[in-house]
Amino acid sequence: MYAPARHDEVTGLLNYIDVQLTAIRSALLGLTEEQARATPCRSALSVGGLVKHAAYCMRGALDRLTGDVTEQPLDAAAVALFTGSFTVGDDETVAATVEEFDRVRAELLATVAKTDPAGDSTAPPAPWHGIFDARPIHARHYLVHLVEEFARHAGHADILREQIDGVAVPALVLTLAGAPANDFFQPYEAAPGTLLA
């Protein structure tokens, strides 16, 4: 949870983004490689795949925040890259996916911290929403969208994790933060050799 604070706007947005990224990553705590690749719901989503997709989204966010992205390629290669971002491939490991997530996360948060929410930016076309032209926006619009995007996937990660072993992600977040046990929370004990343990 992002604790109540009197931060400036960009610090608040940065913290809300980071809380969602923390939840997505924490969903892996104590899972085996096989469990992290599992798709326990009716969709093809896995916890490992969500971590990989979040890294994909963060790389795209870095492009948007550091450049003027005015086009949205929808060719076969772009679609394959997007759909492939949801799956940890046979030639990949979840552990390596976490390393990439951590690397790009640090870069994204540093970039967000330097972003003026009132600064001018451009939203590229979003044909899947019926928007076929680039449109002027303030950076704030995109930063809030990042909160929305990562919160959606943090919710997905929580549902997937609960389907795997009944553990809720907020307890994993608190465990990784080193929070002491209390009337509402007992730290999770990850088996040695599992992810993030």
Side-chain angles (χ1 to χ4, degrees), residues 13-92:
L13 289 166
L14 182 148
N15 279 294
Y16 276 115
I17 290 167
D18 196 36
V19 163
Q20 305 312 320
L21 293 172
T22 296
I24 293 168
R25 184 185 190 278
S26 297
L28 289 171
L29 177 61
L31 294 182
T32 64
E33 180 85 15
E34 182 180 9
Q35 288 173 316
R37 293 169 180 269
T39 56
C41 297
R42 293 177 67 181
S43 74
L45 292 178
S46 68
V47 176
L50 285 173
V51 171
K52 181 180 175 183
H53 179 68
Y56 166 89
C57 292
M58 287 189 278
R59 287 190 297 274
L62 283 165
D63 289 344
R64 289 276 303 271
L65 292 170
T66 59
D68 193 24
V69 178
T70 59
E71 296 181 2
Q72 186 71 55
L74 287 176
D75 58 15
V79 171
L81 188 63
F82 171 77
T83 56
S85 75
F86 286 97
T87 304
V88 179
D90 292 340
D91 60 339
E92 301 172 305

Coordinates of all heavy atoms in Angstrom, one line a residue, residues 13-92:
L13 N 2.3 9.8 -8.2 CA 2.1 8.9 -9.3 C 3.1 7.8 -9.4 O 2.8 6.7 -9.6 CB 2.0 9.7 -10.6 CG 0.8 10.6 -10.8 CD1 1.0 11.6 -11.9 CD2 -0.4 9.8 -11.1
L14 N 4.4 8.2 -9.1 CA 5.5 7.3 -9.1 C 5.2 6.2 -8.1 O 5.4 5.0 -8.3 CB 6.8 8.0 -8.8 CG 8.0 7.1 -8.8 CD1 9.2 7.9 -9.3 CD2 8.4 6.6 -7.4
N15 N 4.8 6.6 -6.9 CA 4.5 5.6 -5.8 C 3.3 4.7 -6.2 O 3.4 3.5 -5.9 CB 4.3 6.3 -4.5 CG 5.6 6.7 -3.8 OD1 6.4 5.8 -3.5 ND2 5.9 7.9 -3.7
Y16 N 2.3 5.2 -6.8 CA 1.2 4.3 -7.2 C 1.6 3.3 -8.3 O 1.2 2.2 -8.2 CB 0.0 5.2 -7.7 CG -0.9 5.6 -6.5 CD1 -1.0 7.0 -6.3 CD2 -1.6 4.7 -5.7 CE1 -1.8 7.4 -5.2 CE2 -2.4 5.1 -4.7 CZ -2.5 6.5 -4.4 OH -3.3 6.9 -3.4
I17 N 2.4 3.8 -9.2 CA 3.0 2.9 -10.2 C 3.8 1.8 -9.5 O 3.7 0.6 -9.8 CB 3.8 3.6 -11.3 CG1 2.9 4.5 -12.1 CG2 4.6 2.7 -12.1 CD1 3.6 5.5 -13.0
D18 N 4.7 2.2 -8.6 CA 5.6 1.3 -8.0 C 4.9 0.2 -7.1 O 5.3 -0.9 -7.1 CB 6.6 2.0 -7.2 CG 7.8 1.1 -6.8 OD1 8.2 0.3 -7.6 OD2 8.4 1.3 -5.7
V19 N 3.8 0.6 -6.5 CA 3.0 -0.3 -5.6 C 2.5 -1.4 -6.5 O 2.5 -2.6 -6.1 CB 1.9 0.5 -4.9 CG1 0.9 -0.5 -4.3 CG2 2.5 1.3 -3.7
Q20 N 2.0 -1.0 -7.7 CA 1.4 -2.1 -8.6 C 2.5 -3.0 -9.1 O 2.3 -4.2 -9.2 CB 0.6 -1.4 -9.7 CG -0.4 -0.4 -9.3 CD -1.4 -0.9 -8.2 OE1 -1.8 -2.1 -8.3 NE2 -1.7 -0.1 -7.3
L21 N 3.6 -2.4 -9.4 CA 4.7 -3.3 -9.9 C 5.2 -4.2 -8.8 O 5.5 -5.4 -9.1 CB 5.9 -2.4 -10.4 CG 5.6 -1.6 -11.7 CD1 6.7 -0.6 -12.0 CD2 5.3 -2.5 -12.9
T22 N 5.2 -3.7 -7.6 CA 5.6 -4.6 -6.4 C 4.7 -5.7 -6.3 O 5.1 -6.9 -6.1 CB 5.6 -3.7 -5.1 OG1 6.7 -2.7 -5.3 CG2 5.9 -4.6 -3.9
A23 N 3.4 -5.5 -6.5 CA 2.4 -6.6 -6.4 C 2.6 -7.6 -7.4 O 2.5 -8.8 -7.2 CB 1.0 -6.0 -6.4
I24 N 2.8 -7.2 -8.7 CA 3.0 -8.1 -9.8 C 4.2 -9.0 -9.5 O 4.1 -10.2 -9.6 CB 3.2 -7.4 -11.1 CG1 1.9 -6.6 -11.5 CG2 3.6 -8.3 -12.2 CD1 2.0 -5.6 -12.6
R25 N 5.3 -8.4 -9.1 CA 6.5 -9.2 -8.9 C 6.4 -10.1 -7.7 O 6.8 -11.2 -7.7 CB 7.7 -8.2 -8.6 CG 9.0 -8.8 -8.4 CD 10.1 -7.8 -8.1 NE 11.4 -8.2 -8.1 CZ 12.0 -8.9 -7.1 NH1 11.3 -9.2 -6.0 NH2 13.3 -9.3 -7.2
S26 N 5.7 -9.6 -6.6 CA 5.6 -10.4 -5.4 C 4.8 -11.6 -5.5 O 4.9 -12.6 -4.8 CB 5.0 -9.5 -4.3 OG 5.8 -8.4 -4.0
A27 N 3.9 -11.6 -6.6 CA 3.1 -12.8 -6.8 C 3.9 -14.1 -7.1 O 3.4 -15.2 -6.9 CB 2.1 -12.6 -8.0
L28 N 5.2 -13.9 -7.4 CA 6.1 -15.0 -7.7 C 6.7 -15.7 -6.4 O 7.2 -16.8 -6.5 CB 7.2 -14.6 -8.5 CG 6.9 -14.3 -10.0 CD1 8.1 -13.6 -10.7 CD2 6.5 -15.5 -10.8
L29 N 6.6 -15.0 -5.3 CA 7.3 -15.4 -4.1 C 6.9 -16.9 -3.7 O 5.7 -17.2 -3.5 CB 7.0 -14.5 -2.9 CG 7.7 -15.0 -1.6 CD1 9.2 -15.0 -1.6 CD2 7.2 -14.0 -0.4
G30 N 7.9 -17.7 -3.7 CA 7.7 -19.1 -3.2 C 7.2 -20.1 -4.3 O 6.9 -21.2 -4.0
L31 N 7.0 -19.6 -5.5 CA 6.6 -20.5 -6.6 C 7.8 -21.2 -7.2 O 8.9 -20.7 -7.2 CB 5.8 -19.7 -7.7 CG 4.5 -19.0 -7.3 CD1 3.9 -18.3 -8.5 CD2 3.5 -20.0 -6.7
T32 N 7.5 -22.4 -7.7 CA 8.5 -23.1 -8.5 C 8.4 -22.5 -9.9 O 7.4 -21.8 -10.3 CB 8.2 -24.6 -8.6 OG1 7.0 -24.8 -9.2 CG2 8.2 -25.2 -7.2
E33 N 9.4 -22.8 -10.7 CA 9.4 -22.4 -12.1 C 8.1 -22.9 -12.8 O 7.4 -22.2 -13.6 CB 10.6 -23.0 -12.8 CG 10.7 -22.6 -14.3 CD 11.4 -21.3 -14.6 OE1 12.0 -20.7 -13.7 OE2 11.2 -20.8 -15.7
E34 N 7.8 -24.2 -12.5 CA 6.6 -24.8 -13.1 C 5.3 -24.0 -12.7 O 4.4 -23.7 -13.5 CB 6.5 -26.2 -12.8 CG 5.3 -27.0 -13.4 CD 5.2 -28.4 -13.0 OE1 6.0 -28.9 -12.1 OE2 4.4 -29.1 -13.6
Q35 N 5.2 -23.7 -11.4 CA 4.0 -23.0 -10.9 C 3.9 -21.6 -11.5 O 2.8 -21.1 -11.8 CB 4.0 -22.9 -9.4 CG 3.8 -24.2 -8.7 CD 4.0 -24.1 -7.2 OE1 5.0 -23.5 -6.7 NE2 3.1 -24.6 -6.4
A36 N 5.1 -20.9 -11.7 CA 5.1 -19.6 -12.2 C 4.6 -19.6 -13.7 O 4.1 -18.6 -14.2 CB 6.4 -19.0 -12.1
R37 N 4.7 -20.7 -14.4 CA 4.3 -20.9 -15.8 C 2.9 -21.4 -15.9 O 2.3 -21.4 -17.0 CB 5.2 -21.8 -16.5 CG 6.6 -21.3 -16.7 CD 7.6 -22.4 -17.2 NE 8.9 -21.9 -17.4 CZ 9.4 -21.4 -18.6 NH1 8.6 -21.3 -19.6 NH2 10.6 -21.1 -18.7
A38 N 2.3 -21.8 -14.8 CA 1.0 -22.4 -14.8 C -0.1 -21.4 -15.2 O 0.0 -20.3 -14.9 CB 0.7 -23.0 -13.4
T39 N -1.1 -22.0 -15.8 CA -2.3 -21.2 -16.3 C -3.5 -21.7 -15.6 O -4.3 -22.5 -16.3 CB -2.4 -21.2 -17.8 OG1 -2.5 -22.5 -18.3 CG2 -1.2 -20.5 -18.5
P40 N -3.7 -21.4 -14.3 CA -4.8 -22.1 -13.6 C -6.2 -21.6 -13.8 O -7.2 -22.2 -13.4 CB -4.4 -21.8 -12.1 CG -3.7 -20.4 -12.2 CD -3.0 -20.5 -13.5
C41 N -6.3 -20.5 -14.6 CA -7.7 -20.0 -14.9 C -8.0 -20.4 -16.4 O -7.2 -21.1 -17.0 CB -7.7 -18.5 -14.7 SG -7.4 -18.0 -13.0
R42 N -9.1 -19.9 -16.9 CA -9.5 -20.3 -18.2 C -8.7 -19.6 -19.3 O -8.8 -19.9 -20.5 CB -11.0 -20.0 -18.4 CG -11.8 -21.0 -17.6 CD -13.3 -20.7 -17.7 NE -13.8 -21.0 -19.0 CZ -15.0 -20.8 -19.4 NH1 -15.9 -20.3 -18.6 NH2 -15.4 -21.1 -20.6
S43 N -8.0 -18.6 -18.9 CA -7.1 -17.8 -19.9 C -5.8 -18.4 -20.0 O -5.5 -19.4 -19.3 CB -7.0 -16.4 -19.4 OG -6.1 -16.3 -18.3
A44 N -4.9 -17.8 -20.8 CA -3.5 -18.3 -21.0 C -2.6 -17.6 -20.1 O -1.4 -17.7 -20.2 CB -3.1 -18.2 -22.4
L45 N -3.1 -16.8 -19.1 CA -2.2 -16.0 -18.3 C -1.5 -16.8 -17.2 O -2.2 -17.7 -16.6 CB -3.0 -14.9 -17.6 CG -3.6 -13.8 -18.4 CD1 -4.4 -12.8 -17.6 CD2 -2.4 -13.0 -19.2
S46 N -0.3 -16.5 -16.9 CA 0.5 -17.1 -15.9 C 1.1 -16.0 -15.1 O 1.3 -14.9 -15.6 CB 1.6 -18.1 -16.4 OG 2.6 -17.3 -17.1
V47 N 1.5 -16.3 -13.8 CA 2.2 -15.2 -13.0 C 3.5 -14.8 -13.7 O 3.8 -13.6 -13.8 CB 2.4 -15.7 -11.6 CG1 3.2 -14.6 -10.8 CG2 1.1 -16.0 -10.9
G48 N 4.3 -15.8 -14.1 CA 5.5 -15.5 -14.8 C 5.3 -14.7 -16.1 O 6.0 -13.7 -16.4
G49 N 4.3 -15.0 -16.8 CA 3.9 -14.3 -18.0 C 3.5 -12.9 -17.7 O 3.9 -11.9 -18.5
L50 N 2.8 -12.6 -16.6 CA 2.5 -11.3 -16.3 C 3.7 -10.4 -15.9 O 3.8 -9.2 -16.2 CB 1.5 -11.3 -15.1 CG 0.0 -11.7 -15.5 CD1 -0.8 -11.8 -14.2 CD2 -0.6 -10.7 -16.4
V51 N 4.7 -11.0 -15.2 CA 5.9 -10.3 -14.9 C 6.6 -10.0 -16.2 O 7.1 -8.8 -16.4 CB 6.8 -11.2 -14.0 CG1 8.2 -10.5 -13.8 CG2 6.1 -11.3 -12.6
K52 N 6.7 -10.9 -17.2 CA 7.3 -10.6 -18.5 C 6.5 -9.5 -19.2 O 7.1 -8.6 -19.8 CB 7.3 -11.9 -19.3 CG 8.0 -11.7 -20.7 CD 8.0 -13.0 -21.5 CE 8.6 -12.7 -22.9 NZ 8.5 -13.9 -23.7
H53 N 5.2 -9.6 -19.2 CA 4.4 -8.6 -19.9 C 4.6 -7.2 -19.2 O 4.6 -6.2 -19.9 CB 2.9 -9.0 -19.9 CG 2.0 -7.9 -20.5 ND1 2.1 -7.7 -21.9 CD2 1.1 -7.1 -20.0 CE1 1.2 -6.7 -22.2 NE2 0.6 -6.3 -21.1
A54 N 4.7 -7.1 -17.9 CA 4.9 -5.9 -17.2 C 6.2 -5.2 -17.7 O 6.3 -4.0 -17.9 CB 4.8 -6.0 -15.7
A55 N 7.2 -6.1 -17.8 CA 8.5 -5.6 -18.3 C 8.4 -5.0 -19.8 O 8.9 -4.0 -20.1 CB 9.6 -6.6 -18.3
Y56 N 7.6 -5.7 -20.6 CA 7.3 -5.2 -21.9 C 6.6 -3.9 -21.9 O 7.0 -3.0 -22.6 CB 6.4 -6.3 -22.6 CG 5.8 -5.8 -23.9 CD1 6.4 -6.0 -25.1 CD2 4.5 -5.3 -23.9 CE1 5.8 -5.6 -26.3 CE2 3.9 -4.9 -25.1 CZ 4.5 -5.0 -26.3 OH 3.9 -4.6 -27.5
C57 N 5.6 -3.7 -21.0 CA 4.9 -2.5 -20.9 C 5.8 -1.4 -20.4 O 5.7 -0.2 -20.8 CB 3.7 -2.6 -19.9 SG 2.4 -3.7 -20.5
M58 N 6.7 -1.7 -19.4 CA 7.6 -0.7 -18.9 C 8.6 -0.2 -20.0 O 8.9 1.0 -20.1 CB 8.4 -1.2 -17.7 CG 7.5 -1.4 -16.5 SD 8.5 -1.8 -15.0 CE 8.7 -3.5 -15.2
R59 N 9.1 -1.1 -20.9 CA 9.9 -0.7 -22.0 C 9.2 0.2 -22.9 O 9.7 1.3 -23.4 CB 10.5 -1.9 -22.7 CG 11.5 -2.7 -22.0 CD 12.2 -3.7 -22.9 NE 11.3 -4.8 -23.3 CZ 11.0 -5.9 -22.6 NH1 11.6 -6.1 -21.4 NH2 10.2 -6.8 -23.1
G60 N 7.9 -0.1 -23.2 CA 7.1 0.8 -24.0 C 6.9 2.2 -23.3 O 6.9 3.2 -24.0
A61 N 6.7 2.2 -22.0 CA 6.5 3.4 -21.3 C 7.8 4.3 -21.3 O 7.7 5.5 -21.5 CB 6.2 3.1 -19.8
L62 N 8.9 3.6 -21.3 CA 10.2 4.4 -21.4 C 10.3 5.1 -22.7 O 10.7 6.2 -22.8 CB 11.4 3.5 -21.1 CG 11.6 3.1 -19.7 CD1 12.6 2.0 -19.5 CD2 12.2 4.4 -18.9
D63 N 9.9 4.3 -23.8 CA 9.9 5.0 -25.1 C 9.0 6.2 -25.2 O 9.3 7.2 -25.7 CB 9.5 3.9 -26.2 CG 10.5 2.9 -26.4 OD1 11.7 3.0 -26.0 OD2 10.1 1.8 -27.0
R64 N 7.8 6.0 -24.6 CA 6.8 7.1 -24.6 C 7.3 8.3 -23.8 O 7.1 9.5 -24.1 CB 5.5 6.6 -24.0 CG 4.7 5.7 -24.9 CD 3.8 6.3 -25.9 NE 2.9 7.3 -25.4 CZ 1.6 7.0 -25.0 NH1 1.2 5.7 -25.1 NH2 0.8 7.9 -24.5
L65 N 7.9 8.1 -22.6 CA 8.3 9.1 -21.7 C 9.6 9.8 -22.1 O 9.8 11.0 -21.7 CB 8.4 8.6 -20.3 CG 7.1 8.2 -19.6 CD1 7.4 7.5 -18.3 CD2 6.2 9.4 -19.4
T66 N 10.4 9.2 -23.0 CA 11.6 9.8 -23.4 C 11.7 10.2 -24.8 O 12.7 10.7 -25.3 CB 12.8 8.8 -23.1 OG1 12.6 7.6 -23.8 CG2 12.9 8.5 -21.6
G67 N 10.6 9.9 -25.6 CA 10.6 10.3 -27.0 C 9.2 10.7 -27.4 O 8.3 10.8 -26.6
D68 N 9.0 10.9 -28.7 CA 7.7 11.4 -29.2 C 7.2 10.2 -30.0 O 7.4 10.1 -31.2 CB 7.9 12.6 -30.0 CG 6.6 13.3 -30.3 OD1 5.6 13.1 -29.6 OD2 6.5 14.1 -31.3
V69 N 6.4 9.3 -29.4 CA 5.9 8.2 -30.1 C 4.5 8.6 -30.7 O 3.6 8.9 -29.9 CB 5.7 7.0 -29.1 CG1 5.1 5.8 -29.8 CG2 7.1 6.6 -28.5
T70 N 4.4 8.6 -32.0 CA 3.2 9.1 -32.6 C 2.6 8.0 -33.5 O 1.5 8.3 -34.1 CB 3.5 10.3 -33.5 OG1 4.4 10.0 -34.5 CG2 3.9 11.5 -32.6
E71 N 3.2 6.9 -33.6 CA 2.6 5.8 -34.4 C 2.5 4.5 -33.6 O 3.1 4.3 -32.5 CB 3.6 5.5 -35.6 CG 3.7 6.6 -36.5 CD 4.6 6.3 -37.7 OE1 5.1 5.2 -37.8 OE2 4.8 7.2 -38.6
Q72 N 1.6 3.7 -34.0 CA 1.3 2.4 -33.3 C 1.3 1.3 -34.3 O 0.3 1.0 -35.0 CB -0.1 2.5 -32.6 CG -0.4 1.3 -31.8 CD 0.4 1.3 -30.5 OE1 0.4 2.2 -29.8 NE2 1.1 0.2 -30.3
P73 N 2.5 0.7 -34.5 CA 2.5 -0.4 -35.6 C 1.7 -1.6 -35.2 O 1.6 -2.0 -34.0 CB 4.0 -0.8 -35.6 CG 4.6 -0.2 -34.3 CD 3.8 0.9 -33.9
L74 N 0.9 -2.1 -36.2 CA 0.1 -3.2 -36.0 C 0.3 -4.3 -37.0 O -0.5 -5.1 -37.3 CB -1.4 -2.8 -36.1 CG -1.9 -2.0 -34.9 CD1 -3.4 -1.5 -35.1 CD2 -1.8 -2.8 -33.6
D75 N 1.6 -4.4 -37.4 CA 1.9 -5.4 -38.4 C 2.1 -6.8 -37.6 O 2.0 -6.8 -36.4 CB 3.2 -5.1 -39.2 CG 4.4 -4.8 -38.2 OD1 4.4 -5.2 -37.1 OD2 5.4 -4.2 -38.7
A76 N 2.3 -7.8 -38.4 CA 2.4 -9.1 -37.8 C 3.5 -9.2 -36.7 O 3.3 -9.9 -35.6 CB 2.6 -10.2 -38.8
A77 N 4.6 -8.6 -36.9 CA 5.7 -8.6 -36.0 C 5.3 -8.0 -34.7 O 5.7 -8.5 -33.6 CB 7.0 -8.0 -36.6
A78 N 4.7 -6.8 -34.8 CA 4.3 -6.1 -33.6 C 3.3 -6.8 -32.8 O 3.3 -6.9 -31.5 CB 3.7 -4.7 -33.9
V79 N 2.3 -7.4 -33.4 CA 1.3 -8.2 -32.8 C 1.9 -9.5 -32.1 O 1.6 -9.8 -31.0 CB 0.2 -8.6 -33.7 CG1 -0.8 -9.6 -33.1 CG2 -0.6 -7.4 -34.2
A80 N 2.8 -10.1 -32.8 CA 3.5 -11.3 -32.2 C 4.3 -10.9 -31.0 O 4.4 -11.6 -30.0 CB 4.4 -11.9 -33.3
L81 N 5.0 -9.8 -31.1 CA 5.8 -9.3 -29.9 C 4.9 -9.0 -28.7 O 5.2 -9.4 -27.6 CB 6.5 -8.0 -30.3 CG 7.5 -7.5 -29.3 CD1 8.7 -8.5 -29.1 CD2 8.1 -6.1 -29.7
F82 N 3.7 -8.4 -29.0 CA 2.7 -8.1 -27.9 C 2.2 -9.4 -27.3 O 2.2 -9.7 -26.1 CB 1.6 -7.3 -28.4 CG 0.5 -7.1 -27.4 CD1 0.6 -6.3 -26.3 CD2 -0.7 -7.9 -27.6 CE1 -0.4 -6.1 -25.4 CE2 -1.7 -7.7 -26.7 CZ -1.6 -6.9 -25.6
T83 N 1.7 -10.3 -28.1 CA 1.1 -11.6 -27.6 C 2.2 -12.4 -26.9 O 1.9 -13.1 -25.9 CB 0.4 -12.4 -28.7 OG1 1.2 -12.6 -29.8 CG2 -0.8 -11.6 -29.2
G84 N 3.4 -12.4 -27.5 CA 4.5 -13.2 -26.9 C 4.9 -12.7 -25.5 O 5.5 -13.4 -24.8
S85 N 4.6 -11.4 -25.3 CA 5.0 -10.8 -24.0 C 4.3 -11.4 -22.8 O 4.7 -11.2 -21.7 CB 4.8 -9.3 -24.0 OG 3.5 -8.9 -23.9
F86 N 3.2 -12.2 -23.0 CA 2.5 -12.7 -22.0 C 2.9 -14.2 -21.6 O 2.4 -14.8 -20.7 CB 1.0 -12.8 -22.3 CG 0.3 -11.5 -22.3 CD1 0.1 -10.8 -23.5 CD2 -0.2 -11.0 -21.1 CE1 -0.6 -9.6 -23.5 CE2 -0.9 -9.8 -21.1 CZ -1.1 -9.1 -22.3
T87 N 3.9 -14.7 -22.3 CA 4.3 -16.1 -22.1 C 5.8 -16.1 -21.9 O 6.6 -15.6 -22.7 CB 3.9 -17.0 -23.2 OG1 2.5 -16.8 -23.5 CG2 4.3 -18.4 -23.0
V88 N 6.3 -16.8 -20.8 CA 7.7 -17.1 -20.7 C 8.0 -18.3 -21.6 O 7.5 -19.4 -21.4 CB 8.0 -17.5 -19.2 CG1 9.5 -17.8 -19.0 CG2 7.6 -16.3 -18.3
G89 N 8.8 -18.0 -22.6 CA 9.1 -19.1 -23.6 C 9.9 -20.2 -23.1 O 10.5 -20.2 -22.0
D90 N 10.0 -21.3 -23.9 CA 10.7 -22.5 -23.5 C 12.2 -22.2 -23.4 O 12.9 -22.9 -22.7 CB 10.5 -23.6 -24.6 CG 9.1 -24.1 -24.5 OD1 8.4 -23.9 -23.5 OD2 8.6 -24.7 -25.5
D91 N 12.7 -21.2 -24.1 CA 14.1 -20.8 -24.1 C 14.4 -19.7 -23.0 O 15.5 -19.2 -23.0 CB 14.5 -20.3 -25.4 CG 13.8 -19.1 -25.9 OD1 12.7 -18.9 -25.4 OD2 14.3 -18.4 -26.8
E92 N 13.4 -19.4 -22.2 CA 13.6 -18.4 -21.1 C 13.4 -19.1 -19.7 O 12.8 -20.1 -19.6 CB 12.5 -17.3 -21.3 CG 12.6 -16.6 -22.6 CD 11.5 -15.6 -22.8 OE1 10.3 -16.0 -22.7 OE2 11.7 -14.4 -23.1

